[in-house]
Amino acid sequence: MEKLTFYALSAPEKLDRIGAYLSERLIRDVSRHRYGYVCIAMEALDQLLMACHCQSINLFVESFLKMVAKLLESEKPNLQILGTNSFVKFANIEEDTPSYHRSYDFFVSRFSEMCHSSHDDLDIRTKIRMSGIKGLQGVVRKTVNDELQANIWDPQHMDKIVPSLLFNLQQVEEAESRSPSPLQAAEKEKESPTELAERCLRELLGRAAYGNIKNAIKPVLIHLDNHSLWEPKIFATCCFRIIMYSIQPQHSHLVIQQLLGHLDANSKSAATVRAGIVEVLSEAAVIAASGSVGPTVLEVFNTLLRQLRLSIDYALTGSYDSATGISTKIIKEHEERMFQEAVIKTIGSFASTLPTYQQSEVMVFIMNKVPLPSSQHSLEAGKAGENRNRLTQIMLLKSLLQVSVGFQCSNMLTALPSAFLDRLLSAALLEDAEIRLFVLEILISFIDRHGNRQKFSPISTISDISVLKLKVDKCSRQDTVFMKKHGQQLYRHIYLICKEESNVQAHYEALYSMLMLISIELANEEVMVDLIRLVLAVQEIAQINEDNLTTYNRCALFALGAAYLNLISQLTTVPTFCQHIHEVIQMRQKEAPYLLPEDVFVESPKLSKSLDRLSPEVFFWQSKISEVLGGSGYNSDRLSTPYIPQLTDEDRLSKRKSIGETISLQVEVESRNSPEREQRAPAEEITYETLKKAIDSVAVEEQERERRRQVVEKFQKAPFEEIAAHCGARATLLQSKLNQIFEITIRPPPSPSGTITAAYGQPQNHSIPVYEMKFPDLCVY
């Protein structure tokens, strides 16, 4: 062997003839079953290959690969393993010159086949499979960096390599446990096909460039489909965890796009399959946070929301094809519900990986998809349509809640833009109690920027709020602007939600949290005054009971007011205010405990039906509060004015029964039960003249609107010359008027030295310097 090696090194041109001779001998020995000589020939080839790295090695390699192929074709496991080991040694050699005439197609096919070995003997089967994996690893190493080689990333190669590795990776389920210790992985004797396959897959994906990711991921998706591996989802999640951690971080979004495309392709698959894909998406999104979710962020959410809507349709129609209503598969509602929950969870996972500005865009995007009465085109008619609308509203608001929970933004104007807030609040006027609760929870998650929400549960009238350890910051300028812009809108919706009969304890807890969070996060003195007026108006709803609320609803509203005023009085730190509130609460404890949260917001509330015969001492009096707070510098005029919400267009669009009746004409209704009857201003009298004026003002508005329309139409349709002439004439007229005004107002006094000519040849007057002017004596100090 030493002589042969010396000869080959000294005469490299003889290498190809040596290789050809050894190849011929080996092929003959294999066919004659002389395996001893086969081993000698392979060892000789291996040693020559390791020793000779000259440029003429290419021709020698041809003979070598022919011999390896011959061994791999053999049915003897030992020869297959021998051939694989030689190929792996060859794969680790870095050649000086690239080769373009070699083909590794046979090796890819044969090694993939070995990966799927089903030999009867377990030890031999394991060895063959491990040889196959090592062989594939060798092929990848040999070809991935050689530009002249056949592209290993082509689908025909990837469709063999990737499933072979995944097939061996699957066997982990058969093993009892896997030790992740690197020491154990280093010991070749103990290494299993599973561990080797994982290492090989990681190496393969780590080498994948931008253009090759798709070809590497597609076989994974097909393999999971073919072997029904989405449903338990454990293996699928494990696979994509390996993929996401192995590829370069900047390519993460490509994997996510592939998964989204696959979800669309499986739109009509069983709910469990779709849920598995979505769970994997969720896992992948969290890992992708370190890289990028990609440029098409809204497309991700669009796909998920589309799948959500499809799932709602499937659950309602019971068919994957709503047009025909005939489906070969039986749709189970609980499975569809599981899928919907998985989608909502994934939307939350995705959103949490995004920067704040993109989260805002996503929330606006989701809100615009919610079907509401204010956008009539998105509502469907009929019983089935109403069900679909309701389910869609609930699912989308759930998704929105998931996104808003992880949203952190100090500026409320940015967090809740007008268009978004308007749509969100209009959802609060829907009859469905569940939808109203979602809207309140979403608003709370936006406003609660210091994590105070949990401290308000359960609702109680505690005597010392310092035990709650509330985090209170001074109201910022942006928050003040936000409340000036949207405060009345928020109060109005809180007021209207309080009037709903279908409210349960969760609604009152959310309303209480909402009121308290506005007081802590967004309140200045003016907001505090408005909130107190609002709560007193809510007390009046329960007291007068025009809406025929149940006893529980009325008691809950009384309790809500007591709990809020108890806390707010301690926040304002006005002793007389605290004293009044404390006195009323003590009186309630003695005479009417069912008006306090401790008796109402429990599992079995203690209620009383004699709410119309309550003594005046158990109510919070607006006049008294106005008096005590007015003495401490608060606006007493505003405090003494009862709160009345304004009627808007959205009331007419919503389905609420009571709004039109209660607020259509804002007339003060005198109530014999009201404790403040004598303090109220008399109700405005409505006469024929007032109604006539109202109708006339509508006619004037119509004329003004028509005039504006004509002006717009003129500028849209008139020829350019006519518009130019019209504007020119008006501009000239305006200029002449301005000149006259300037002449009168700023004509300077004549200069003693006369006039001088300005740069453009126009005479220009000199103004008198200040020190030359004669001032009256009184002006001089």
Side-chain angles (χ1 to χ4, degrees):
M1 196 63 229
E2 282 177 14
K3 287 180 182 176
L4 180 62
T5 306
F6 176 74
Y7 176 67
L9 286 169
S10 55
E13 69 277 5
K14 301 289 185 186
L15 253 178
D16 55 325
R17 290 182 63 191
I18 295 169
Y21 173 76
L22 283 170
S23 172
E24 189 185 326
R25 285 290 304 266
L26 182 129
I27 290 165
R28 192 172 64 207
D29 290 336
V30 167
S31 59
R32 291 178 180 178
H33 306 290
R34 296 162 69 178
Y35 300 125
Y37 288 110
V38 171
C39 293
I40 292 168
M42 274 321 292
E43 194 166 335
L45 270 174
D46 286 349
Q47 289 196 28
L48 283 173
L49 201 58
M50 302 302 285
C52 306
H53 283 226
C54 60
Q55 289 185 352
S56 56
I57 197 173
N58 273 338
L59 294 172
F60 173 66
V61 168
E62 288 303 313
S63 304
F64 169 78
L65 291 177
K66 198 187 295 180
M67 293 169 69
V68 171
K70 186 69 181 173
L71 291 178
L72 293 174
E73 282 173 354
S74 164
E75 291 180 3
K76 297 279 182 186
N78 289 341
L79 291 186
Q80 293 173 15
I81 292 163
L82 180 67
T84 304
N85 291 340
S86 289
F87 184 82
V88 170
K89 286 176 191 169
F90 160 68
N92 289 328
I93 294 172
E94 290 186 17
E95 295 182 53
D96 299 333
T97 52
S99 168
Y100 55 86
H101 58 273
R102 280 186 219 147
S103 170
Y104 292 99
D105 292 11
F106 166 77
F107 294 101
V108 170
S109 301
R110 185 68 189 122
F111 288 136
S112 299
E113 199 178 323
M114 287 167 69
C115 287
H116 290 86
S117 170
S118 55
H119 198 281
D120 296 336
D121 188 320
L122 179 63
D123 286 342
I124 293 173
R125 184 166 73 223
T126 302
K127 283 178 183 173
I128 293 174
R129 285 187 181 181
M130 287 185 72
S131 290
I133 297 165
K134 286 176 186 171
L136 288 176
Q137 195 173 23
V139 173
V140 171
R141 283 180 184 171
K142 200 69 191 162
T143 55
V144 80
N145 293 324
D146 193 343
E147 290 176 8
L148 294 175
Q149 290 293 349
N151 190 357
I152 197 72
W153 300 106
D154 285 348
Q156 67 262 30
H157 299 312
M158 282 289 119
D159 289 349
K160 293 172 186 169
I161 294 171
V162 173
S164 303
L165 297 175
L166 292 178
F167 174 75
N168 284 282
L169 203 59
Q170 259 177 274
Q171 307 309 310
V172 70
E173 292 166 14
E174 293 171 16
E176 286 180 16
S177 65
R178 283 177 63 196
S179 170
S181 165
L183 293 171
Q184 188 174 353
E187 295 174 15
K188 298 292 178 189
E189 296 80 20
K190 292 185 181 178
E191 193 170 46
S192 68
T194 304
E195 290 166 342
L196 190 58
E198 185 178 324
R199 245 180 341 113
C200 186
L201 185 62
R202 286 183 185 279
E203 186 180 333
L204 175 72
L205 293 163
R207 292 168 182 267
Y210 182 87
N212 304 327
I213 293 283
K214 189 175 179 181
N215 288 347
I217 303 301
K218 196 174 179 183
V220 178
L221 299 171
I222 293 168
H223 180 84
L224 295 170
D225 281 347
N226 291 345
H227 295 270
S228 304
L229 293 169
W230 292 112
E231 291 178 41
K233 80 172 180 288
I234 298 161
F235 179 69
T237 308
C238 169
C239 275
F240 274 91
R241 208 174 278 138
I242 291 169
I243 291 167
M244 296 305 290
Y245 281 122
S246 302
I247 60 171
Q248 295 169 41
Q250 67 269 28
H251 300 157
S252 298
H253 68 276
L254 292 174
V255 179
I256 286 167
Q257 281 174 359
Q258 287 270 92
L259 277 166
L260 286 166
H262 197 65
L263 181 59
D264 272 344
N266 279 277
S267 287
K268 294 187 179 180
S269 299
T272 46
V273 171
R274 283 177 284 134
I277 300 172
V278 166
E279 289 277 356
V280 170
L281 251 174
S282 179
E283 289 274 341
V286 173
I287 298 167
S290 57
S292 62
V293 178
T296 54
V297 171
L298 291 182
E299 190 51 42
V300 171
F301 290 94
N302 200 23
T303 303
L304 290 170
L305 294 177
R306 184 168 61 245
Q307 290 299 325
L308 202 56
R309 191 176 272 273
L310 279 174
S311 175
I312 291 167
D313 284 346
Y314 296 158
L316 286 171
T317 58
S319 162
Y320 287 119
D321 190 356
S322 54
T324 59
I326 301 164
S327 177
T328 51
K329 297 173 185 172
I330 298 167
I331 292 177
K332 295 174 184 170
E333 270 194 56
H334 72 277
E335 287 181 357
E336 289 296 340
R337 206 169 297 118
M338 269 171 43
F339 169 70
Q340 289 158 15
E341 293 297 331
V343 171
I344 290 165
K345 180 187 160 199
T346 304
I347 287 171
S349 299
F350 261 117
S352 64
T353 67
L354 299 175
T356 306
Y357 74 94
Q358 280 188 327
Q359 284 182 332
S360 294
E361 284 177 17
V362 167
M363 287 189 284
V364 172
F365 181 73
I366 295 173
M367 195 64 229
N368 286 338
K369 298 250 177 206
V370 179
L372 294 170
S374 53
S375 52
Q376 287 141 327
H377 62 274
S378 62
L379 282 176
E380 294 180 39
K383 185 74 177 167
E386 280 182 22
N387 284 342
R388 188 174 286 109
N389 290 333
R390 181 182 172 278
L391 280 171
T392 308
Q393 286 161 349
I394 287 171
M395 289 302 162
L396 291 176
L397 288 170
K398 258 191 185 178
S399 307
L400 194 56
L401 182 59
Q402 279 285 331
V403 180
S404 67
V405 165
F407 181 71
Q408 289 294 325
C409 183
S410 56
N411 187 348
M412 290 299 292
L413 282 167
T414 313
L416 290 167
S418 295
F420 174 78
L421 187 62
D422 290 346
R423 281 185 69 81
L424 183 61
L425 288 174
S426 65
L429 296 182
L430 296 171
E431 285 183 329
D432 193 281
E434 196 176 354
I435 291 172
R436 287 201 306 279
L437 190 57
F438 278 127
V439 173
L440 287 170
E441 292 293 344
I442 291 163
L443 284 168
I444 286 166
S445 64
F446 277 118
I447 298 169
D448 185 17
R449 293 169 294 184
H450 294 91
N452 287 317
R453 166 74 201 273
Q454 298 308 317
K455 297 169 185 176
F456 302 131
S457 185
I459 306 177
S460 62
T461 50
I462 55 170
S463 54
D464 182 13
I465 62 163
S466 60
V467 297
L468 297 179
K469 296 180 181 170
L470 299 172
K471 292 179 186 172
V472 184
D473 276 351
K474 193 179 177 188
C475 179
S476 67
R477 192 176 66 81
Q478 291 100 327
D479 291 345
T480 307
V481 173
F482 173 79
M483 287 309 286
K484 274 196 168 120
K485 193 174 179 184
H486 300 295
Q488 293 303 324
Q489 204 179 358
L490 285 172
Y491 308 146
R492 177 173 173 281
H493 283 83
I494 291 171
Y495 180 84
L496 295 175
I497 291 170
C498 286
K499 293 168 80 89
E500 290 289 350
E501 287 178 56
S502 54
N503 287 344
V504 293
Q505 185 175 333
H507 290 86
Y508 296 113
E509 286 175 352
L511 284 164
Y512 176 67
S513 297
M514 178 92 169
L515 287 164
M516 283 313 306
L517 287 167
I518 294 174
S519 308
I520 290 171
E521 297 277 353
L522 306 170
N524 53 20
E525 191 176 296
E526 190 181 326
V527 173
M528 284 284 199
V529 168
D530 282 342
L531 287 168
I532 291 167
R533 288 171 62 223
L534 172 64
V535 172
L536 291 169
V538 168
Q539 175 185 262
E540 199 169 320
I541 293 172
Q543 197 178 327
I544 299 172
N545 196 25
E546 289 176 347
D547 300 288
N548 296 319
L549 296 174
T550 62
T551 307
Y552 173 77
N553 292 136
R554 292 176 70 187
C555 289
L557 290 178
F558 281 124
L560 176 69
Y564 175 74
L565 289 170
N566 174 57
L567 272 186
I568 205 72
S569 64
Q570 294 179 59
L571 281 175
T572 53
T573 61
V574 177
T576 47
F577 183 33
C578 292
Q579 188 183 346
H580 171 62
I581 303 301
H582 187 59
E583 283 170 4
V584 175
I585 289 172
Q586 278 188 325
M587 187 58 73
R588 285 190 182 184
Q589 284 168 347
K590 284 181 196 170
E591 293 186 13
Y594 46 83
L595 302 185
L596 290 173
E598 287 81 1
D599 275 25
V600 178
F601 301 124
V602 288
E603 276 186 33
S604 50
K606 300 165 189 171
L607 308 174
S608 167
K609 291 188 179 176
S610 59
L611 292 178
D612 294 328
R613 294 192 294 277
L614 295 168
S615 66
E617 287 82 12
V618 298
F619 296 119
F620 299 100
W621 285 55
Q622 190 152 0
S623 55
K624 181 73 176 170
I625 290 171
S626 171
E627 183 188 320
V628 294
L629 286 178
S632 300
Y634 286 83
N635 186 339
S636 57
D637 291 343
R638 193 168 176 79
L639 268 168
S640 56
T641 312
Y643 173 77
I644 302 168
Q646 301 296 311
L647 178 71
T648 66
D649 289 342
E650 75 180 338
D651 294 319
R652 286 188 282 276
L653 291 167
S654 74
K655 292 182 179 177
R656 295 162 52 87
K657 296 187 284 273
S658 56
I659 301 172
E661 296 161 17
T662 49
I663 325 170
S664 56
L665 287 171
Q666 291 176 2
V667 182
E668 285 287 342
V669 180
E670 288 294 328
S671 167
R672 57 192 174 78
N673 299 320
S674 170
E676 300 186 21
R677 192 169 54 207
E678 54 280 350
Q679 271 100 9
R680 286 225 197 100
E684 185 187 343
E685 190 181 348
I686 295 174
T687 63
Y688 170 76
E689 285 300 321
T690 55
L691 289 172
K692 186 169 181 296
K693 278 179 191 171
I695 292 164
D696 289 346
S697 67
V698 172
V700 170
E701 280 178 22
E702 283 294 329
Q703 286 172 6
E704 181 65 21
R705 203 175 291 119
E706 179 61 25
R707 192 182 65 76
R708 281 185 200 151
R709 191 188 62 73
Q710 286 171 359
V711 170
V712 170
E713 196 173 318
K714 180 181 175 184
F715 274 88
Q716 283 176 342
K717 295 180 180 175
F720 175 74
E721 291 77 9
E722 187 184 324
I723 295 170
H726 175 70
C727 293
R730 292 190 66 178
T732 311
L733 182 67
L734 178 65
Q735 190 59 48
S736 66
K737 291 283 182 193
L738 285 172
N739 288 342
Q740 285 176 21
I741 293 163
F742 293 146
E743 282 290 323
I744 294 163
T745 54
I746 55 168
R747 183 183 293 151
S751 167
S753 58
T755 59
I756 61 163
T757 307
Y760 292 101
Q762 296 169 338
Q764 189 181 36
N765 288 319
H766 266 307
S767 59
I768 300 171
V770 175
Y771 54 83
E772 284 185 15
M773 287 183 186
K774 297 293 181 190
F775 290 100
D777 293 342
L778 289 172
C779 295
V780 181
Y781 175 66

